Amino acid sequence: MNSLNDTLPAAGGGMARAFTANFLGEAPDWYKLTIALFLILNPILLYATSPFVAGWVLIGEFIFTLAMALKCYPLQPGGLLAIEAVLLGLTSSDAVYHEVKENLQVILLLMFMVAGIYFMKSLLLYVFTKLLVSIRSKTTLSLLFCGVSAVLSAFLDALTVTAVLIAVAVGFYAVYHKTASNRPAHSDHDHSHDDHVVEYHRSDLDQFRAFLRSLIMHGAVGTALGGVCTLVGEPQNLLIAEKAGWDFVQFFQQMAPVTLPAFAAGLTTCFLLEKAKVFGYGAKLPDAVREVLSNFATEQEQKRTQRDVVELWVQGIVAVILVLSLAFHVAEVGIIGLMIIVLLTAFNGVIQEPRIGHAFEEALPFTALLVVFFAIVAVIHQQHLFAPITHFVLSLEPEQQPGTLFLANGVLSMISDNVFVATVYINEVKDALLAGDITREHFDKLAIAINTGTNLPSVATPNGQAAFLFLLTSALAPLIRLSYGRMVVMALPYTIVLTVVALTCVIFAI
């Protein structure tokens, strides 16, 4: 009997240890404890204070899970917080479904467009390898990445362009990492681990990571610079244009007094950051890495068969179809992405389910995370967490409202979702217009302030823009050591410059 009593506590302790080990898996113990404390604190806080206070605390907790994305993918801890929010009545399952339904375009985009880009990787790697090997000036290359990303985002979509940048960077990294690990060119290799990296290559690998980090961040900021300019650049732009009754040309003309100076300021900042080598910028491509990539390009050229050439031509033609389809908005972006998948797989012979399945591995975890994010947005909506700020802005003198609204949208977009913030504010000012509280001319000014406010200052944090969050949670981020904190630091100079320039233009130029 004594033996059984001795055994039961030991068994219970073993079960507890196993449960603790299983909870959030390999995440650090302090992180697991923090999430557990969040889950315990929230119901206490709700009943001790108010849903408004508990809602703002929940936002802070969710942002913490995003900030610690490299410790634990935010889907699990963020999902637990979202489930608890529904159980506590901070929002409802119907409200979450409503938010998902309202953002179905973004979800379809992630599911299909990002997967479509996967089947274009050969062409992208071919083109960008040529650029990387031939352009030796890091400043020129950085300006090219930033500028091209901006132009593409203006006519395509920031998430699509970000997916391209990620695919290209992962391709570069995998090529050199295999060489640094002394692996044969045609062997399978896991480039996510440095266990086999030769000591001689480690410093070059670290510098290559810094080089890729800076290029990717320039490109990511470029998606914001271009995305703010046109009706199709960002999801909220379409909504704002619909409420304002603007077509493609009208939208561009209305935004131009703010967006064009901001674009010029962004490129100038890119140039200065590379020259000054501050905030994590300025790292150059090591000669050893350039040689590996150059040899890789030469080897690929030599072994390219007729079928490979045809495959590149098919990808190029489909890329043109993609650009034209998105530019003329022949269908929703996600549906166009599905069309791209069908065309590329059909004409390049990818017909096996496992090969097709790999294309969705990058996008679907982020899609699931975005749905969890919409649950948090539902809390914001249902508890009217932004209402006091809205009422304050609209109570100001008319000449003060555009600048204040720009800043309010900018700050809230940094901590929330810029699509949601834009949706809330454009609906508020449209209601004010319909009620006769503001004139049509003043409404146009406020719409410009809302669009630029949600698109430009929001580069400050990864959760401010879906494209930045996608980058942070992608397979590339851990490879190049791009954490939440590092993204914030690298985005800081852009945030300051773009906010100051755009705010000045909102106050004096519109």
Side-chain angles (χ1 to χ4, degrees):
M1 194 69 173
N2 290 338
S3 175
L4 182 60
N5 288 335
D6 291 341
T7 303
L8 286 174
M15 288 289 288
R17 284 193 294 274
F19 178 82
T20 303
N22 284 345
F23 178 65
L24 298 182
E26 298 175 357
D29 289 341
W30 65 264
Y31 182 89
K32 296 181 180 184
L33 181 61
T34 302
I35 298 301
L37 289 175
F38 286 167
L39 296 171
I40 294 169
L41 173 67
N42 289 336
I44 297 173
L45 196 62
L46 175 63
Y47 293 111
T49 57
S50 67
F52 185 85
V53 172
W56 272 108
V57 170
L58 182 74
I59 291 175
E61 293 168 349
F62 187 73
I63 291 173
F64 170 82
T65 67
L66 298 177
M68 296 290 110
L70 296 185
K71 299 294 183 185
C72 175
Y73 192 69
L75 174 62
Q76 290 76 25
L80 290 174
L81 292 171
I83 292 169
E84 185 179 56
V86 174
L87 294 176
L88 292 176
L90 290 173
T91 188
S92 65
S93 57
D94 288 340
V96 175
Y97 177 72
H98 175 75
E99 294 295 338
V100 171
K101 188 169 65 173
E102 289 295 306
N103 290 279
L104 183 60
Q105 295 176 358
V106 180
I107 292 172
L108 288 177
L109 182 150
L110 280 170
M111 289 174 62
F112 297 130
M113 185 60 76
V114 175
I117 295 301
Y118 175 89
F119 294 109
M120 251 184 233
K121 284 205 295 190
S122 298
L123 176 66
L124 295 170
L125 193 56
Y126 173 78
V127 172
F128 279 91
T129 301
K130 290 288 186 184
L131 290 174
L132 197 66
V133 172
S134 60
I135 299 176
R136 290 188 169 270
S137 169
K138 174 65 185 307
T139 303
T140 302
L141 199 59
S142 298
L143 287 170
L144 186 66
F145 263 67
C146 189
V148 170
S149 297
V151 172
L152 288 176
S153 295
F155 291 97
L156 308 182
D157 179 271
L159 279 169
T160 304
V161 177
T162 304
V164 171
L165 294 175
I166 290 169
V168 168
V170 169
F172 288 156
Y173 185 86
V175 168
Y176 179 68
H177 197 277
K178 181 177 289 188
T179 300
S181 301
N182 253 354
R183 287 292 182 266
H186 304 290
S187 65
D188 290 332
H189 175 63
D190 182 2
H191 53 257
S192 63
H193 296 288
D194 291 349
D195 299 341
H196 300 290
V197 173
V198 180
E199 195 64 35
Y200 172 77
H201 288 290
R202 286 190 181 272
S203 60
D204 283 339
L205 182 60
D206 288 338
Q207 188 175 338
F208 187 37
R209 284 179 175 133
F211 171 83
L212 287 177
R213 275 199 305 270
S214 59
L215 276 187
I216 290 297
M217 283 302 295
H218 288 313
V221 172
T223 65
L225 293 174
V228 68
C229 294
T230 64
L231 183 147
V232 296
E234 293 280 355
Q236 69 266 32
N237 299 13
L238 196 59
L239 176 68
I240 292 170
E242 182 185 344
K243 296 290 183 182
W246 296 332
D247 60 23
F248 190 95
V249 175
Q250 288 174 315
F251 186 94
F252 178 81
Q253 290 174 337
Q254 291 282 358
M255 297 298 159
V258 181
T259 56
L260 295 185
F263 177 71
L267 291 182
T268 303
T269 305
C270 174
F271 176 84
L272 293 176
L273 285 172
E274 284 300 321
K275 290 300 183 183
K277 299 182 179 180
V278 293
F279 292 96
Y281 295 98
K284 295 186 177 181
L285 182 65
D287 291 336
V289 179
R290 184 185 298 278
E291 184 180 353
V292 168
L293 295 179
S294 180
N295 291 340
F296 169 77
T298 303
E299 182 185 342
Q300 291 297 105
E301 288 280 1
Q302 292 173 347
K303 73 174 187 178
R304 189 166 287 122
T305 64
Q306 197 66 39
R307 287 189 64 178
D308 293 330
V309 173
V310 171
E311 182 177 326
L312 288 177
W313 271 103
V314 168
Q315 290 181 17
I317 293 169
V318 173
V320 173
I321 294 173
L322 169 63
V323 171
L324 293 175
S325 299
L326 288 169
F328 290 102
H329 201 64
V330 299
E332 293 300 334
V333 178
I335 304 301
I336 294 173
L338 181 57
M339 177 186 72
I340 296 305
I341 292 174
V342 172
L343 292 175
L344 287 173
T345 54
F347 288 99
N348 282 333
V350 182
I351 58 173
Q352 295 82 16
E353 184 180 357
R355 290 182 65 192
I356 297 171
H358 284 306
F360 294 88
E361 291 177 358
E362 178 73 20
L364 286 185
F366 182 74
T367 306
L369 174 60
L370 200 64
V371 173
V372 169
F373 187 72
F374 291 145
I376 305 301
V377 169
V379 174
I380 296 172
H381 201 169
Q382 199 155 327
Q383 300 305 326
H384 307 289
L385 299 185
F386 293 168
I389 304 169
T390 306
H391 295 152
F392 168 74
V393 171
L394 294 179
S395 69
L396 295 172
E397 293 297 321
E399 61 272 12
Q400 296 177 317
Q401 289 181 13
T404 306
L405 196 59
F406 173 90
L407 288 175
N409 276 264
V411 172
L412 291 174
S413 293
M414 292 177 193
I415 63 174
S416 179
D417 168 48
N418 57 1
V419 177
F420 171 73
V421 173
T423 303
V424 170
Y425 280 98
I426 196 63
N427 285 330
E428 291 282 349
V429 297
K430 185 62 181 284
D431 290 343
L433 174 66
L434 295 175
D437 296 333
I438 58 176
T439 65
R440 173 66 205 204
E441 182 183 3
H442 190 60
F443 169 83
D444 289 346
K445 291 182 179 180
L446 295 183
I448 295 169
I450 292 169
N451 184 64
T452 53
T454 53
N455 275 303
L456 295 175
S458 56
V459 302
T461 63
N463 44 293
Q465 295 207 3
F468 277 47
L469 186 59
F470 182 42
L471 174 59
L472 176 68
T473 56
S474 70
L476 175 65
L479 298 180
I480 61 175
R481 308 300 188 259
L482 186 62
S483 65
Y484 187 102
R486 182 167 266 164
M487 283 187 76
V488 170
V489 171
M490 295 184 77
L492 181 61
Y494 280 111
T495 305
I496 295 171
V497 171
L498 295 180
T499 301
V500 170
V501 170
L503 177 60
T504 303
C505 292
V506 165
I507 294 174
F508 297 108
I510 63 172

